Amino acid sequence: MSVISLEVEVLDPIGLHARPASQIVKLVKESGLTITIGRPGEDFVKANSALMLMSLKIKTGEKLTLQFETEDAAVASDLHVQIQEFLKG
Amino acid sequence: MSLAQGTILSGLGVGLNSSVGEVLVVKPQAPLPAWSKSSQSAADEKAALKQAIANVANTLDTLGERAGGTTAEIFEALKFLLEDEELFELAESNIDEGWTAGAGYGQAVDTFAELLGGDPDFDERVKDLQDLSKRVQADLAGIEMALTLPETGRIVLVGEDFSPADTAQFTKAVVGVITLKGGPTSHTAIICRSRSIPAVVSCGAAADLANGDTVLVDPVGDRVVTGGDESLATKAIEFVALNEDPVIPVRANIGTLADAQGASAETLAEGVGLFRTELLYLSAATAPTIDQQVASYSEILAAAPAGPIVVRTIDAGSDKPVPFLHMPHEENPSLGVRGFRLIQDHRQFIEDQLTSLEAARLATGREVWVMAPMIATVQEAKQFAELARGIGGYKVGVMVETPSIAAMVDQLEGVVDFVSIGTNDLSQYLFAADRMNPSLGALLNHWQPGLIRTLARIADGGKKAGISVGVCGESASDPAFAVVLAGLGISSVSVSKSQVTVVRNALSSLDLADCKEIANKVLAATSAEDAKAAALNALAKL
């Protein structure tokens, strides 16, 4: 399985808090894909748990990498756009 | 039955109607069992945990459906935390180590709480998580956490005091409420008044009531009568409106669009005397934009009853947390950074709020007055007035809630256009009695002579300064007290929607000279009981 990596930026003024975290988890679960998220160069977490996402304590302005385990670039791109939208605040 | 029929239990009445019902004693919740290793198989414990999580999720769904709107969204978000996959997996691995389901889940929540801890953005979520953890553990231990109240019948709830979460769960079957502690400005009292549920608060002797006792809740008589029926109820003075208009305007207190619409549709309120804006922000995770604020304010201003609309700028802090302001924990929050004091750290938010109100005023063409809460000095009043006048074309005023500004009202000439007295907080500060402390209810009785004389001085100060003085606290919702307020020289009152009609009737049943005569008799009293009796006797003779 190939992995597609795409970057997002957290624009929400209070960082990655409960609401965007839950929105991301909901989307990830609906997609049925394995998606991981994290700061470049650090350990990634699976994006299936809002609590795990929140525990990364990501602040406004940070850039994150999303890794989609899929062959389908269109699907990954679509999810990427939606996740970026959640992070706008 | 533990008490003889006809026993009279004294307290402080809330409301004007009596009710008879069957006692349901709400006991404080039993403690959760200590965490221990399990004697069952891990598979059984995991199944039990899954079931308990499902049960709590169902409860949240039910609460959400009952509450609707924004509150439903909050319960939805809580469910999401409750059912978090990683949390469940961590709980499972704790169970694999031999712990019981309750211990496994509790420890897993603690682990996440620690991961999220120390970050002010997540403090509230950590509290939510811990509350969910308790609910799951209580479900596993067979302990009732939520009030499960019948939907039918006539029950009178008896408890120490009820939290806002408890009161949200009152069903139609709740016809009366008795609290052992809790004063007339407690959450219980405010909710009961707004929902027209007769209540007697601060009634310590009610501890002897037992499930199934029939009681008469007699708020006008400030008492509960065991085995009593409606024929024993103290009659509220029937105010027959003789004049078309009340001696002073009666306005409505609102906090939401629904309140504004209700006040317009169901009452003859002359405008709004207190628009509490913090309710618009309580569930917002981030500060709303100016556009969003203008939209909410415009909608509410347009819907409000005809007349001026007095808007209070945000009164966050103390018992009213607003998430996005991230207010630090304080030892004594009611003596802390709250109300106008927020300008220290949140000036931009207050400016944005004033800007939004001005845009909404222009958009709706309504007469808007704006006032700041928790003003303690003339300098603060000036600071707010200059800020507000620089932003908008509304009338500008301040709340009188601190004894310090109460003493300085005559010096506000030329500084503000009006003041409004919040008698709930003013009483708290006058009597040094925390509104949230259920044991101090009697000090917060609005018939306390110390409060009445202070109100008289504020009214005099307003007259000297040539500014109008309104009252928007719970006290004005008591029709007999509203008459006293008019007699003291107060120029308008603002009351909850459910009280507008009775207060209007009272103030339309007599003239200002009568009000003054009654107020003078009340001013001579030296106890709350005497003050109330003096007013009721004088009213009865008219």
Short mmCIF file of all heavy atoms in Angstrom, two decimals, chain A residues 12 14 16-19 22 25-26 29 48-52 54-55 57 59, chain B residues 80-81 84-87 112 115-117 119 121-122 125 129 283 285-286 326:
data_model
loop_
_atom_site.label_atom_id
_atom_site.label_comp_id
_atom_site.label_asym_id
_atom_site.label_seq_id
_atom_site.Cartn_x
_atom_site.Cartn_y
_atom_site.Cartn_z
N ASP A 12 -6.75 27.69 13.17
CA ASP A 12 -7.70 27.95 14.26
C ASP A 12 -6.98 28.69 15.39
O ASP A 12 -5.91 28.28 15.84
CB ASP A 12 -8.24 26.61 14.78
CG ASP A 12 -9.45 26.83 15.68
OD1 ASP A 12 -9.30 27.54 16.69
OD2 ASP A 12 -10.52 26.29 15.38
N ILE A 14 -7.28 28.81 18.48
CA ILE A 14 -6.87 28.12 19.72
C ILE A 14 -6.27 26.75 19.42
O ILE A 14 -6.28 25.85 20.25
CB ILE A 14 -7.99 28.02 20.79
CG1 ILE A 14 -9.23 27.36 20.25
CG2 ILE A 14 -8.31 29.37 21.38
CD1 ILE A 14 -10.25 27.08 21.36
N LEU A 16 -5.35 23.03 17.71
CA LEU A 16 -6.15 21.85 17.37
C LEU A 16 -6.93 21.43 18.60
O LEU A 16 -6.48 20.60 19.38
CB LEU A 16 -5.22 20.73 16.89
CG LEU A 16 -5.80 19.70 15.91
CD1 LEU A 16 -4.77 18.68 15.53
CD2 LEU A 16 -7.06 19.07 16.36
N HIS A 17 -8.10 22.01 18.80
CA HIS A 17 -8.89 21.72 20.01
C HIS A 17 -9.97 20.68 19.71
O HIS A 17 -9.98 20.06 18.65
CB HIS A 17 -9.47 23.01 20.59
CG HIS A 17 -10.38 23.75 19.67
ND1 HIS A 17 -11.74 23.64 19.74
CD2 HIS A 17 -10.11 24.58 18.64
CE1 HIS A 17 -12.27 24.40 18.79
NE2 HIS A 17 -11.31 24.98 18.11
N ALA A 18 -10.88 20.50 20.67
CA ALA A 18 -11.81 19.37 20.60
C ALA A 18 -12.66 19.34 19.34
O ALA A 18 -12.84 18.29 18.74
CB ALA A 18 -12.71 19.38 21.84
N ARG A 19 -13.17 20.51 18.92
CA ARG A 19 -14.12 20.47 17.80
C ARG A 19 -13.45 20.01 16.49
O ARG A 19 -13.91 19.03 15.89
CB ARG A 19 -14.82 21.81 17.62
CG ARG A 19 -15.95 21.72 16.60
CD ARG A 19 -16.61 23.04 16.37
NE ARG A 19 -17.01 23.65 17.63
CZ ARG A 19 -17.66 24.81 17.71
NH1 ARG A 19 -17.98 25.45 16.61
NH2 ARG A 19 -17.98 25.31 18.87
N SER A 22 -12.62 16.31 16.67
CA SER A 22 -13.74 15.39 16.48
C SER A 22 -14.16 15.36 15.01
O SER A 22 -14.53 14.31 14.49
CB SER A 22 -14.96 15.78 17.30
OG SER A 22 -14.59 16.45 18.44
N VAL A 25 -11.72 13.13 13.16
CA VAL A 25 -11.91 11.72 13.48
C VAL A 25 -13.14 11.16 12.76
O VAL A 25 -13.12 10.07 12.21
CB VAL A 25 -12.01 11.51 15.00
CG1 VAL A 25 -12.46 10.10 15.34
CG2 VAL A 25 -10.68 11.82 15.66
N LYS A 26 -14.20 11.95 12.76
CA LYS A 26 -15.43 11.51 12.12
C LYS A 26 -15.19 11.25 10.62
O LYS A 26 -15.56 10.21 10.08
CB LYS A 26 -16.49 12.61 12.28
CG LYS A 26 -17.90 12.11 12.26
CD LYS A 26 -18.82 13.22 12.74
CE LYS A 26 -20.26 12.77 12.66
NZ LYS A 26 -21.18 13.85 12.95
N LYS A 29 -12.97 8.16 10.07
CA LYS A 29 -13.72 6.90 10.26
C LYS A 29 -14.63 6.63 9.07
O LYS A 29 -14.74 5.50 8.61
CB LYS A 29 -14.54 6.97 11.55
CG LYS A 29 -13.67 6.81 12.80
CD LYS A 29 -14.54 6.68 14.02
CE LYS A 29 -13.69 6.47 15.26
NZ LYS A 29 -14.48 6.60 16.48
N ASN A 48 -7.67 8.39 14.42
CA ASN A 48 -8.98 7.79 14.72
C ASN A 48 -9.42 8.12 16.15
O ASN A 48 -10.38 7.55 16.65
CB ASN A 48 -8.93 6.27 14.52
CG ASN A 48 -7.97 5.62 15.50
OD1 ASN A 48 -7.16 6.30 16.14
ND2 ASN A 48 -8.06 4.31 15.63
N SER A 49 -8.69 9.00 16.81
CA SER A 49 -9.00 9.32 18.21
C SER A 49 -8.82 10.81 18.44
O SER A 49 -7.72 11.35 18.30
CB SER A 49 -8.07 8.52 19.13
OG SER A 49 -7.95 9.18 20.37
N ALA A 50 -9.93 11.47 18.79
CA ALA A 50 -9.86 12.92 19.05
C ALA A 50 -8.92 13.19 20.23
O ALA A 50 -8.18 14.16 20.24
CB ALA A 50 -11.26 13.47 19.34
N LEU A 51 -8.94 12.28 21.22
CA LEU A 51 -8.09 12.50 22.39
C LEU A 51 -6.61 12.43 22.02
O LEU A 51 -5.81 13.22 22.51
CB LEU A 51 -8.42 11.46 23.47
CG LEU A 51 -9.74 11.72 24.20
CD1 LEU A 51 -10.10 10.52 25.05
CD2 LEU A 51 -9.64 12.97 25.05
N MET A 52 -6.26 11.49 21.12
CA MET A 52 -4.86 11.41 20.70
C MET A 52 -4.46 12.68 19.94
O MET A 52 -3.38 13.22 20.15
CB MET A 52 -4.65 10.18 19.78
CG MET A 52 -4.53 8.86 20.51
SD MET A 52 -3.30 8.85 21.82
CE MET A 52 -1.82 8.59 20.86
N MET A 54 -5.76 15.63 20.24
CA MET A 54 -5.65 16.75 21.18
C MET A 54 -4.37 16.65 22.01
O MET A 54 -3.78 17.67 22.36
CB MET A 54 -6.88 16.78 22.10
CG MET A 54 -8.14 17.28 21.38
SD MET A 54 -9.66 16.70 22.16
CE MET A 54 -9.64 17.59 23.70
N SER A 55 -3.96 15.40 22.31
CA SER A 55 -2.79 15.25 23.19
C SER A 55 -1.50 15.68 22.48
O SER A 55 -0.48 15.86 23.13
CB SER A 55 -2.68 13.81 23.69
OG SER A 55 -2.36 12.96 22.61
N LYS A 57 -1.22 18.52 21.35
CA LYS A 57 -1.16 19.94 21.75
C LYS A 57 -0.61 20.82 20.63
O LYS A 57 0.39 21.52 20.79
CB LYS A 57 -0.32 20.10 23.02
CG LYS A 57 -0.97 19.42 24.21
CD LYS A 57 -0.26 19.75 25.49
CE LYS A 57 -0.95 19.05 26.65
NZ LYS A 57 -0.20 19.13 27.88
N LYS A 59 -0.52 23.88 18.22
CA LYS A 59 -0.92 25.28 18.37
C LYS A 59 -1.16 25.94 17.01
O LYS A 59 -0.74 25.42 15.98
CB LYS A 59 0.17 26.06 19.12
CG LYS A 59 0.40 25.56 20.53
CD LYS A 59 -0.84 25.81 21.38
CE LYS A 59 -0.78 25.06 22.69
NZ LYS A 59 -2.09 24.94 23.33
N PHE B 80 -18.67 11.98 21.86
CA PHE B 80 -17.51 11.71 21.02
C PHE B 80 -16.29 11.37 21.88
O PHE B 80 -15.53 10.45 21.57
CB PHE B 80 -17.23 12.92 20.14
CG PHE B 80 -16.80 12.55 18.78
CD1 PHE B 80 -17.73 12.17 17.83
CD2 PHE B 80 -15.45 12.52 18.45
CE1 PHE B 80 -17.32 11.79 16.57
CE2 PHE B 80 -15.04 12.14 17.20
CZ PHE B 80 -15.97 11.78 16.25
N LEU B 81 -16.11 12.12 22.97
CA LEU B 81 -14.99 11.84 23.87
C LEU B 81 -15.20 10.48 24.55
O LEU B 81 -14.29 9.67 24.65
CB LEU B 81 -14.87 12.94 24.93
CG LEU B 81 -14.53 14.34 24.46
CD1 LEU B 81 -14.43 15.29 25.64
CD2 LEU B 81 -13.21 14.35 23.69
N ASP B 84 -14.28 7.48 22.42
CA ASP B 84 -12.99 7.56 21.72
C ASP B 84 -12.31 6.19 21.65
O ASP B 84 -12.21 5.48 22.65
CB ASP B 84 -12.09 8.56 22.46
CG ASP B 84 -10.87 8.93 21.65
OD1 ASP B 84 -9.85 8.21 21.75
OD2 ASP B 84 -10.94 9.91 20.91
N GLU B 85 -11.85 5.85 20.45
CA GLU B 85 -11.26 4.50 20.25
C GLU B 85 -10.00 4.26 21.08
O GLU B 85 -9.83 3.21 21.67
CB GLU B 85 -10.92 4.30 18.76
CG GLU B 85 -12.11 3.86 17.95
CD GLU B 85 -11.75 3.55 16.51
OE1 GLU B 85 -10.56 3.27 16.22
OE2 GLU B 85 -12.66 3.58 15.67
N GLU B 86 -9.09 5.23 21.06
CA GLU B 86 -7.83 5.04 21.79
C GLU B 86 -8.10 4.93 23.29
O GLU B 86 -7.41 4.19 24.00
CB GLU B 86 -6.88 6.21 21.52
CG GLU B 86 -6.35 6.27 20.11
CD GLU B 86 -5.26 5.21 19.84
OE1 GLU B 86 -4.61 4.77 20.80
OE2 GLU B 86 -5.11 4.83 18.66
N LEU B 87 -9.06 5.68 23.76
CA LEU B 87 -9.42 5.63 25.19
C LEU B 87 -9.90 4.23 25.53
O LEU B 87 -9.49 3.64 26.54
CB LEU B 87 -10.50 6.67 25.47
CG LEU B 87 -11.01 6.78 26.90
CD1 LEU B 87 -9.89 7.21 27.83
CD2 LEU B 87 -12.16 7.79 26.98
N PHE B 112 -5.17 10.09 29.80
CA PHE B 112 -5.41 11.14 28.81
C PHE B 112 -5.50 12.52 29.46
O PHE B 112 -5.04 13.51 28.90
CB PHE B 112 -6.67 10.83 27.99
CG PHE B 112 -6.37 10.01 26.77
CD1 PHE B 112 -6.70 8.67 26.72
CD2 PHE B 112 -5.73 10.59 25.68
CE1 PHE B 112 -6.40 7.91 25.60
CE2 PHE B 112 -5.43 9.83 24.56
CZ PHE B 112 -5.76 8.50 24.51
N LEU B 115 -2.14 13.68 29.75
CA LEU B 115 -1.59 14.09 28.46
C LEU B 115 -2.11 15.47 28.05
O LEU B 115 -1.40 16.26 27.44
CB LEU B 115 -1.99 13.08 27.37
CG LEU B 115 -1.16 11.82 27.26
CD1 LEU B 115 -1.79 10.87 26.25
CD2 LEU B 115 0.27 12.16 26.86
N LEU B 116 -3.38 15.73 28.37
CA LEU B 116 -3.99 17.00 27.97
C LEU B 116 -3.76 18.09 29.00
O LEU B 116 -3.98 19.26 28.74
CB LEU B 116 -5.50 16.83 27.76
CG LEU B 116 -5.93 15.87 26.67
CD1 LEU B 116 -7.45 15.75 26.65
CD2 LEU B 116 -5.43 16.36 25.32
N GLY B 117 -3.37 17.68 30.21
CA GLY B 117 -3.30 18.62 31.33
C GLY B 117 -2.25 19.70 31.13
O GLY B 117 -1.39 19.59 30.28
N ASP B 119 -2.56 22.49 29.92
CA ASP B 119 -2.79 23.36 28.77
C ASP B 119 -4.16 24.01 28.96
O ASP B 119 -5.17 23.33 28.95
CB ASP B 119 -2.77 22.50 27.50
CG ASP B 119 -2.87 23.36 26.25
OD1 ASP B 119 -3.54 24.40 26.32
OD2 ASP B 119 -2.29 22.97 25.23
N ASP B 121 -6.10 25.49 27.16
CA ASP B 121 -7.10 25.24 26.11
C ASP B 121 -7.88 23.96 26.36
O ASP B 121 -8.97 23.78 25.83
CB ASP B 121 -6.42 25.12 24.73
CG ASP B 121 -5.96 26.49 24.24
OD1 ASP B 121 -6.46 27.49 24.76
OD2 ASP B 121 -5.11 26.54 23.34
N PHE B 122 -7.31 23.06 27.15
CA PHE B 122 -7.95 21.76 27.32
C PHE B 122 -8.51 21.55 28.72
O PHE B 122 -9.07 20.50 29.02
CB PHE B 122 -6.98 20.63 26.98
CG PHE B 122 -6.62 20.58 25.53
CD1 PHE B 122 -5.30 20.53 25.13
CD2 PHE B 122 -7.61 20.59 24.55
CE1 PHE B 122 -4.96 20.49 23.78
CE2 PHE B 122 -7.28 20.55 23.20
CZ PHE B 122 -5.95 20.50 22.82
N ARG B 125 -12.05 20.43 28.73
CA ARG B 125 -12.22 19.07 28.18
C ARG B 125 -11.79 18.03 29.22
O ARG B 125 -12.40 16.98 29.32
CB ARG B 125 -11.40 18.89 26.90
CG ARG B 125 -11.81 19.76 25.74
CD ARG B 125 -13.21 19.46 25.23
NE ARG B 125 -14.25 20.09 26.03
CZ ARG B 125 -14.53 21.38 26.00
NH1 ARG B 125 -13.85 22.19 25.23
NH2 ARG B 125 -15.49 21.88 26.74
N LEU B 129 -14.01 15.07 30.59
CA LEU B 129 -13.58 13.68 30.56
C LEU B 129 -13.73 13.03 31.93
O LEU B 129 -14.22 11.90 32.05
CB LEU B 129 -12.10 13.63 30.19
CG LEU B 129 -11.69 13.25 28.78
CD1 LEU B 129 -10.17 13.18 28.72
CD2 LEU B 129 -12.28 11.92 28.37
N SER B 283 -21.17 28.71 24.78
CA SER B 283 -20.80 27.45 24.14
C SER B 283 -19.83 27.66 22.98
O SER B 283 -19.51 26.73 22.27
CB SER B 283 -22.05 26.72 23.66
OG SER B 283 -22.72 27.53 22.74
N ALA B 285 -16.37 27.97 21.27
CA ALA B 285 -15.00 27.56 21.58
C ALA B 285 -14.02 28.67 21.23
O ALA B 285 -12.97 28.79 21.82
CB ALA B 285 -14.66 26.28 20.82
N THR B 286 -14.39 29.50 20.25
CA THR B 286 -13.53 30.60 19.86
C THR B 286 -14.37 31.88 19.85
O THR B 286 -15.59 31.81 19.75
CB THR B 286 -12.97 30.39 18.44
OG1 THR B 286 -14.07 30.16 17.57
CG2 THR B 286 -12.04 29.22 18.37
N HIS B 326 -10.63 31.98 28.33
CA HIS B 326 -9.58 31.28 29.08
C HIS B 326 -9.25 32.00 30.37
O HIS B 326 -8.13 32.48 30.57
CB HIS B 326 -8.30 31.17 28.24
CG HIS B 326 -8.54 30.58 26.90
ND1 HIS B 326 -9.08 29.34 26.73
CD2 HIS B 326 -8.38 31.08 25.66
CE1 HIS B 326 -9.21 29.09 25.45
NE2 HIS B 326 -8.80 30.13 24.78
#
